[in-house]
Amino acid sequence: MSRNKAQIDGLHVPLLNGHANKEAEGDMTLTVLGCGTLGIAILSGILTSLSSVSSSEPSPSSSGTATPSAQPEEDNLPSRVPSRFIACVTRDASAKRVKTALSSHLSSVTILQNENLKGVQQADVILLGCKPKNLKDGILREPGMREALQGKLVISILAGTSIESLEENVYGPKAPTDKDPFAEGRCRFVRVMPNTASLIRSSMTVIADSAPPLSISQSSLVTWILSRIGRVVNLPPYMMDAATALCGSGPAFFALMLEAMADGAVAMGLPRAEAQTMAAQTMKGTAEMVLAGQHPALLREQVCTPGGCTAGGLQVLEDGKVRASVATGVRTASVAASRLGRGEQGVNGPR
């Protein structure tokens, strides 16, 4: 049995008779560059998923946190998946936060403080999780970083930051973004937008279509990583700012509405703890009905009987322009995401 070396989409994978051997399958390193809230959530989701697999527990798709279409088809599973992880941070407090959040998985996680270059050099795949302003400050322009990134897959979760901006940040304004980066000796950026529900593997993650398109093995690896933490959809790049507002900012919007509903119930005599649980379960149940195919307008009409209490409550909400305010909030967040991606400050100033 002869061993040879092949390169799959820029990632060197030892092959045995044309197939990745078991040693190679468990030898991929994922580095989170700027491991903040979302980075921790994604690492936690992946590590929990891997622990479940090793314990022969059901995969995330059986838990209802991901649709069957969100999971890679069996024939398109990546030849390797990450088994080692590096979390890059700058502050002591951030390092402690990562250590605390991932305390049950520290045997697989290395925490590096102010050693971004080292983290990238040791990585096969990089998750870019810093704030957009850190990109402008030069996190990817550190001496030696361009060489460390060469031939690697970089998954960006930076709000409002296009692939073109990422390419220009590393390779200059004349970077040929329409050509195969690996063929040009560069890294391959992929833009995605998960949310904080990654921590409980219930994220809604959007992957921006790439140009040129990702290969099957690249796409399957990105989808595999992100479907460990919930549902995945693919959208054109020009829709990513709106997706950031809806899915990235959405949990905060829904939390505000949930809190308001609980406040109303408390004002009418319900205990705070019970009101919060009831509001959360009601919101969850409604969302699951919509995900099962029920249209929100039809669902609302089914609950709203003529002359009933629901009709009265809805009338107050409509009079208060709740629908318009929520829609405007999403639109405003979308514009802010775009401006943040251009490195602007004070994007939420007076209008």
Side-chain angles (χ1 to χ4, degrees), residues 19 34 46 99 107 113-114 137 156 164 193 205 226 241 265 276 334 339 343 345:
H19 299 283
I46 295 173
K99 187 174 182 180
S107 61
Q113 188 172 348
N114 295 311
D137 292 340
S156 169
E164 290 76 15
M193 185 65 244
T205 302
L226 297 171
D241 290 333
Q276 184 169 299
S334 177
R339 294 177 62 188
Q345 301 293 319

Tab-separated table of all heavy atoms in Angstrom, residues 19 34 46 99 107 113-114 137 156 164 193 205 226 241 265 276 334 339 343 345:
chain	number	residue	atom	x	y	z
A	19	HIS	N	-7.558	7.909	-0.695
A	19	HIS	CA	-8.532	8.333	0.315
A	19	HIS	C	-7.795	8.848	1.542
A	19	HIS	O	-6.739	8.334	1.918
A	19	HIS	CB	-9.438	7.165	0.721
A	19	HIS	CG	-10.230	6.625	-0.433
A	19	HIS	ND1	-11.334	7.261	-0.934
A	19	HIS	CD2	-10.038	5.509	-1.198
A	19	HIS	CE1	-11.824	6.563	-1.944
A	19	HIS	NE2	-11.055	5.506	-2.130
A	34	GLY	N	-9.426	36.362	17.073
A	34	GLY	CA	-10.345	37.300	17.715
A	34	GLY	C	-11.505	36.524	18.313
A	34	GLY	O	-12.628	36.606	17.830
A	46	ILE	N	-19.092	23.458	18.100
A	46	ILE	CA	-18.327	22.427	17.394
A	46	ILE	C	-17.806	21.388	18.370
A	46	ILE	O	-17.911	20.174	18.131
A	46	ILE	CB	-17.161	23.065	16.619
A	46	ILE	CG1	-17.690	23.965	15.505
A	46	ILE	CG2	-16.258	21.985	16.032
A	46	ILE	CD1	-16.605	24.755	14.799
A	99	LYS	N	-11.357	30.479	28.614
A	99	LYS	CA	-11.033	29.333	29.460
A	99	LYS	C	-12.239	28.878	30.271
A	99	LYS	O	-12.501	27.679	30.406
A	99	LYS	CB	-9.875	29.691	30.389
A	99	LYS	CG	-9.348	28.509	31.194
A	99	LYS	CD	-8.109	28.909	31.990
A	99	LYS	CE	-7.546	27.719	32.761
A	99	LYS	NZ	-6.335	28.096	33.543
A	107	SER	N	-8.678	20.373	26.762
A	107	SER	CA	-7.665	19.451	26.238
A	107	SER	C	-7.516	19.592	24.733
A	107	SER	O	-6.478	19.220	24.167
A	107	SER	CB	-8.023	18.008	26.589
A	107	SER	OG	-9.272	17.643	26.013
A	113	GLN	N	-2.474	34.508	23.603
A	113	GLN	CA	-2.727	35.917	23.871
A	113	GLN	C	-1.682	36.773	23.168
A	113	GLN	O	-0.476	36.603	23.374
A	113	GLN	CB	-2.706	36.185	25.379
A	113	GLN	CG	-3.154	37.589	25.757
A	113	GLN	CD	-3.295	37.745	27.264
A	113	GLN	OE1	-3.267	36.762	28.008
A	113	GLN	NE2	-3.442	38.988	27.718
A	114	ASN	N	-2.145	37.667	22.288
A	114	ASN	CA	-1.271	38.529	21.499
A	114	ASN	C	-0.262	37.727	20.673
A	114	ASN	O	0.894	38.137	20.498
A	114	ASN	CB	-0.534	39.529	22.408
A	114	ASN	CG	-1.485	40.497	23.082
A	114	ASN	OD1	-2.340	41.089	22.425
A	114	ASN	ND2	-1.360	40.649	24.398
A	137	ASP	N	-7.397	48.245	11.827
A	137	ASP	CA	-6.201	48.483	12.645
A	137	ASP	C	-5.027	47.607	12.239
A	137	ASP	O	-3.921	47.762	12.765
A	137	ASP	CB	-6.519	48.259	14.132
A	137	ASP	CG	-7.481	49.313	14.681
A	137	ASP	OD1	-7.599	50.382	14.052
A	137	ASP	OD2	-8.118	49.044	15.719
A	156	SER	N	-14.860	34.303	7.507
A	156	SER	CA	-15.029	35.597	8.174
A	156	SER	C	-16.448	35.771	8.698
A	156	SER	O	-17.418	35.564	7.969
A	156	SER	CB	-14.707	36.732	7.193
A	156	SER	OG	-15.098	37.978	7.733
A	164	GLU	N	-14.170	41.496	-0.886
A	164	GLU	CA	-13.268	42.446	-1.540
A	164	GLU	C	-12.476	43.249	-0.506
A	164	GLU	O	-11.264	43.467	-0.674
A	164	GLU	CB	-14.064	43.390	-2.443
A	164	GLU	CG	-14.650	42.740	-3.684
A	164	GLU	CD	-15.879	41.895	-3.398
A	164	GLU	OE1	-16.453	42.031	-2.283
A	164	GLU	OE2	-16.260	41.094	-4.266
A	193	MET	N	-22.360	34.637	8.422
A	193	MET	CA	-22.940	35.389	9.536
A	193	MET	C	-23.730	34.449	10.432
A	193	MET	O	-24.871	34.092	10.134
A	193	MET	CB	-23.862	36.490	9.008
A	193	MET	CG	-24.415	37.419	10.107
A	193	MET	SD	-23.119	38.382	10.917
A	193	MET	CE	-23.209	37.744	12.597
A	205	THR	N	-27.263	30.600	10.526
A	205	THR	CA	-26.032	31.060	9.898
A	205	THR	C	-26.218	31.218	8.398
A	205	THR	O	-26.760	30.335	7.738
A	205	THR	CB	-24.887	30.065	10.171
A	205	THR	OG1	-24.714	29.913	11.580
A	205	THR	CG2	-23.579	30.565	9.561
A	226	LEU	N	-20.286	24.985	10.154
A	226	LEU	CA	-21.371	25.867	10.577
A	226	LEU	C	-22.658	25.119	10.890
A	226	LEU	O	-23.459	25.569	11.714
A	226	LEU	CB	-21.611	26.923	9.509
A	226	LEU	CG	-20.406	27.851	9.288
A	226	LEU	CD1	-20.609	28.742	8.083
A	226	LEU	CD2	-20.129	28.681	10.537
A	241	ASP	N	-25.584	42.154	4.432
A	241	ASP	CA	-25.821	43.170	5.460
A	241	ASP	C	-27.224	43.026	6.047
A	241	ASP	O	-27.425	43.141	7.261
A	241	ASP	CB	-25.630	44.577	4.882
A	241	ASP	CG	-24.178	44.873	4.563
A	241	ASP	OD1	-23.302	44.276	5.212
A	241	ASP	OD2	-23.923	45.688	3.660
A	265	ALA	N	-47.103	40.850	31.477
A	265	ALA	CA	-47.712	39.801	32.294
A	265	ALA	C	-47.445	40.033	33.778
A	265	ALA	O	-48.321	39.810	34.630
A	265	ALA	CB	-47.176	38.437	31.857
A	276	GLN	N	-41.432	35.040	32.418
A	276	GLN	CA	-40.324	34.960	31.463
A	276	GLN	C	-40.292	33.604	30.774
A	276	GLN	O	-40.115	33.515	29.554
A	276	GLN	CB	-39.000	35.222	32.184
A	276	GLN	CG	-37.785	35.247	31.264
A	276	GLN	CD	-36.566	35.773	31.981
A	276	GLN	OE1	-36.537	36.912	32.459
A	276	GLN	NE2	-35.535	34.938	32.075
A	334	SER	N	-29.119	47.003	9.315
A	334	SER	CA	-28.496	46.599	8.051
A	334	SER	C	-27.567	47.692	7.523
A	334	SER	O	-26.437	47.417	7.109
A	334	SER	CB	-29.583	46.295	7.014
A	334	SER	OG	-29.015	45.969	5.762
A	339	ARG	N	-21.908	50.141	7.151
A	339	ARG	CA	-20.992	51.235	7.507
A	339	ARG	C	-19.869	50.737	8.411
A	339	ARG	O	-18.719	51.169	8.273
A	339	ARG	CB	-21.769	52.360	8.178
A	339	ARG	CG	-22.775	53.049	7.240
A	339	ARG	CD	-23.574	54.121	7.966
A	339	ARG	NE	-22.718	55.185	8.462
A	339	ARG	CZ	-23.136	56.164	9.251
A	339	ARG	NH1	-24.401	56.206	9.647
A	339	ARG	NH2	-22.296	57.112	9.657
A	343	GLY	N	-15.380	50.450	8.120
A	343	GLY	CA	-14.490	51.008	9.140
A	343	GLY	C	-14.979	52.306	9.745
A	343	GLY	O	-14.215	52.987	10.444
A	345	GLN	N	-16.908	54.929	12.249
A	345	GLN	CA	-17.203	54.987	13.682
A	345	GLN	C	-18.494	55.780	13.889
A	345	GLN	O	-18.906	56.577	13.037
A	345	GLN	CB	-16.046	55.641	14.431
A	345	GLN	CG	-14.712	54.923	14.260
A	345	GLN	CD	-14.711	53.545	14.908
A	345	GLN	OE1	-15.239	53.361	15.993
A	345	GLN	NE2	-14.100	52.578	14.238
